[in-house]
Amino acid sequence: MTTNRTFTMIKPDAVKNGHIGAILDKINASGFKIVAMKYTHLSKTDAERFYAVHSERPFYGELVEFMSSGPIVAAVLEKENAVEDFRVLIGSTNPEEAAEGTIRKLYATSIGENAVHGSDSDENAAIESDFHFSQREIY
Ligand code: CMP
């Protein structure tokens, strides 16, 4: 089922480097409606749980450390074809491979510190949104 929603996080690197406003502007300008949003700080346990699917990957420890290293912005976004369109907007995981004008090309510094997260499927968008937001926090 297509929900027309995706989940995103503005990661600690982009928050620390002052890019929250620019990234939210780009998200709005690209036709996404923000239906839930919070400024928060993941604990190490939160980051381990959120990224549990990557627990066997060699970069898991580094990913967990980074994602719990500072505040993030978590949000649920709505738009027709949201998951796919948002992944186009953010660009490739590795900013060196990201297309010109994408969020990661503009604001990411490395494959690990890549400015934003975007869900990779409708199913994961729902799981990830539920991780951060109750139904009462989505408008
Ligand atoms: P994200 O879209 O949040 O989903 C998983 C994250 O793992 C990814 O963005 C990257 O930040 C991180 N990641 C993926 N590959 C690597 C890698 N080779 N080295 C470090 N981090 C990685």
Side-chain angles (χ1 to χ4, degrees):
M1 188 190 76
T2 302
T3 60
N4 290 331
R5 283 183 177 172
T6 192
F7 171 79
T8 186
M9 291 183 287
I10 301 176
K11 297 188 179 186
D13 58 324
V15 171
K16 197 171 63 191
N17 293 329
H19 297 314
I20 295 175
I23 291 172
L24 292 178
D25 261 357
K26 214 160 166 47
I27 288 172
N28 280 325
S30 303
F32 292 88
K33 182 180 170 204
I34 297 168
V35 296
M37 185 161 69
K38 67 174 69 162
Y39 189 50
T40 185
H41 189 151
L42 298 178
S43 67
K44 207 171 157 202
T45 308
D46 290 332
E48 282 169 352
R49 284 178 48 227
F50 185 88
Y51 281 112
V53 65
H54 294 303
S55 62
E56 301 304 318
R57 308 287 283 273
F59 56 81
Y60 180 64
E62 188 186 319
L63 176 61
V64 166
E65 284 301 323
F66 167 61
M67 287 304 296
S68 57
S69 68
I72 61 155
V73 175
V76 181
L77 309 175
E78 198 167 77
K79 180 184 185 293
E80 202 176 308
N81 204 33
V83 166
E84 205 177 309
D85 286 2
F86 192 66
R87 287 176 73 82
V88 171
L89 177 64
I90 65 179
S92 300
T93 305
N94 184 347
E96 284 177 18
E97 293 163 12
E100 289 299 330
T102 60
I103 292 175
R104 282 172 171 159
K105 185 70 175 186
L106 289 166
Y107 303 115
T109 47
S110 68
I111 192 168
E113 304 201 359
N114 63 355
V116 282
H117 168 80
S119 305
D120 64 4
S121 66
D122 287 313
E123 187 191 7
N124 283 337
I127 292 168
E128 292 170 0
S129 299
D130 287 349
F131 184 94
H132 285 271
F133 298 98
S134 71
Q135 283 310 307
R136 285 191 297 113
E137 295 175 303
I138 300 175
Y139 303 102

